[in-house]
Amino acid sequence: KASSNKAVDGGISMLFDCVIGAVLFLYTIGFLFFRVGELIPLVAYYSLECKSALFGAFILRRGRITFVGRRVKYLLLIASMVTLSYTMDNHIPKSLPVANESHSAKTVVITGANAGVGFETSRQLAVTYGMQVIMGCRSEVKCNNAANTINAEIASAKSNGSVTPRIIDLSNLKSVESFASQLLGDHSRVVDVLFNNAGYSPGVGIPVNSYGLDPSFTSMHLSHFFLTEQLLKANPKLRVVNTSSGTHHLCALPFAYAPPSILKSIASHNPGCVDEDYLQRGIKSETDGNAYIQAKIANIMHVVEIPRHHPRATSIAIDLGWVGTSIQPFMKGTLVSIIFCLIFLQSYCFGTGNHLS
């Protein structure tokens, strides 16, 4: 009977170890996937340290180290992931530029400014750098609430900055035109920097809009393109910052290498890619699973073309990495989303550092 109890206890212990091992393995894979954009510069900056850590992990996992038990290895793995996460959040981001008097003379426009990265960018530029920020938002209530929050902090910090809420609906080109007209009609100041930041992760099967176009592509690219062109008329030296995404790389995999016969059976155009085929047919259809990727590819193509057509302008596309905002439907306020953001994603406060630097 005693030996039977020992066998049961041993089986439970082994099952527990297997479950813990599986959870840690899945977490490690997920962490690497969601934060690969930050891991690449980490490996580039600290190649020797990363190689040493990888070698140590291999020895620990495969080597015959009898004095280190399975659970001790798990604890070491957890400690390693915590250390990696801390390093990526606190040491990899570039230090922000030092504020100076020239910043206070700048006027900045930010779309999608009432929440997430847009809100934090507005707050930092107005409070820390004393810039004059125009917050472009779709919801008047949310925009005013966000502006009031920042203005209270500006007053507390005795900053010279300011935020002004303005309404812009990027799904409606007339709203974009009206927004641009208000900016151009204010002759007391010229927009120096434009952050084309607003974006969302669209669902599949959303029908075309009143323009006969993919609504997500209209909101995330075409409207930003239109707004940029309007502001460039008043300031040829405009600095344009497009919030893009590392997902644009997915266009080439596996679609660039798959046989055409297979591609045609998958979709009428190359999924995830913005090419002639997409611009002729895909853009005129309902949203599919690659809508977000296509818009982000277009954002990058936009900044590449701006200097060719506007030589005095400056344009930049930024991949913020996976940031803890509500851009994805499953990241909006539920307990699951909170846990997901805590264990996998970087805070939008850290992600904003890419915008500001």
Side-chain angles (χ1 to χ4, degrees):
K1 187 175 182 179
S3 61
S4 176
N5 289 337
K6 286 183 179 181
V8 172
D9 291 342
I12 294 175
S13 178
M14 184 176 295
L15 178 61
F16 175 79
D17 288 346
C18 289
V19 170
I20 295 298
V23 169
L24 289 175
F25 174 77
L26 292 175
Y27 170 73
T28 303
I29 296 299
F31 185 90
L32 295 176
F33 174 79
F34 288 112
R35 305 195 67 170
V36 65
E38 299 159 81
L39 286 169
I40 291 174
L42 179 67
V43 173
Y45 297 151
Y46 306 102
S47 59
L48 180 60
E49 290 83 351
C50 290
K51 291 175 183 177
S52 300
L54 186 62
F55 178 74
F58 177 80
I59 294 298
L60 191 63
R61 180 71 181 87
R62 293 295 182 184
R64 298 181 178 276
I65 306 177
T66 56
F67 60 87
V68 178
R70 184 191 297 269
R71 295 183 182 179
V72 174
K73 292 180 180 180
Y74 290 157
L75 290 174
L76 289 173
L77 176 59
I78 294 172
S80 300
M81 295 304 296
V82 170
T83 302
L84 178 61
S85 179
Y86 175 82
T87 302
M88 291 170 66
D89 282 344
N90 293 278
H91 297 287
I92 295 303
K94 295 180 179 178
S95 57
L96 299 181
V98 178
N100 57 58
E101 293 182 359
S102 67
H103 290 135
S104 60
K106 300 291 185 181
T107 297
V108 182
V109 173
I110 303 174
T111 64
N114 63 275
V117 170
F119 172 82
E120 182 63 18
T121 302
S122 300
R123 188 187 71 81
Q124 288 271 13
L125 292 179
V127 177
T128 305
Y129 294 95
M131 293 185 181
Q132 317 311 307
V133 179
I134 298 172
M135 303 173 66
C137 322
R138 183 176 57 180
S139 167
E140 183 175 3
V141 173
K142 292 180 179 179
C143 203
N144 288 334
N145 289 340
N148 291 337
T149 299
I150 297 175
N151 277 323
E153 192 169 344
I154 290 173
S156 177
K158 298 181 179 180
S159 170
N160 294 323
S162 68
V163 291
T164 304
R166 292 278 177 86
I167 304 306
I168 177 172
D169 182 356
L170 292 167
S171 67
N172 187 328
L173 294 177
K174 289 185 178 179
S175 175
V176 178
E177 185 176 23
S178 174
F179 179 79
S181 297
Q182 292 179 48
L183 298 177
L184 298 176
D186 185 355
H187 300 293
S188 62
R189 57 185 176 184
V190 175
V191 176
D192 299 289
V193 185
L194 169 63
F195 284 89
N196 289 322
N197 169 73
Y200 68 103
S201 181
V204 176
I206 301 175
V208 296
N209 55 24
S210 59
Y211 306 109
L213 302 172
D214 177 340
S216 63
F217 196 80
T218 302
S219 296
M220 286 189 278
H221 173 63
L222 295 179
S223 290
H224 279 144
F225 172 85
F226 182 44
L227 176 60
T228 302
E229 290 298 310
Q230 296 300 306
L231 297 184
L232 279 166
K233 293 177 182 178
N235 181 14
K237 296 181 180 180
L238 181 69
R239 181 182 180 88
V240 181
V241 182
N242 283 358
T243 302
S244 186
S245 167
T247 57
H248 72 276
H249 292 297
L250 297 178
C251 167
L253 297 172
F255 307 113
Y257 303 102
S261 57
I262 296 179
L263 286 177
K264 290 180 180 179
S265 65
I266 296 175
S268 60
H269 56 276
N270 293 339
C273 297
V274 177
D275 54 13
E276 292 82 357
D277 213 16
Y278 172 76
L279 294 175
Q280 289 178 5
R281 291 182 288 178
I283 196 176
K284 301 175 183 178
S285 61
E286 63 183 20
T287 59
D288 58 21
N290 300 292
Y292 181 79
I293 300 173
Q294 288 153 346
K296 293 299 134 181
I297 292 173
N299 292 157
I300 293 177
M301 295 169 72
H302 183 204
V303 302
V304 170
E305 289 297 321
I306 285 175
R308 296 176 181 174
H309 299 274
H310 306 277
R312 300 169 67 189
T314 303
S315 57
I316 302 168
I318 295 177
D319 172 19
L320 301 178
W322 279 76
V323 182
T325 67
S326 58
I327 189 171
Q328 292 279 0
F330 63 87
M331 293 163 60
K332 295 182 178 179
T334 64
L335 179 60
V336 174
S337 71
I338 293 172
I339 295 174
F340 178 82
C341 291
L342 284 175
I343 64 177
F344 283 127
L345 309 185
Q346 62 173 326
S347 163
Y348 63 79
C349 296
F350 288 116
T352 305
N354 291 324
H355 262 176
L356 301 178
S357 58

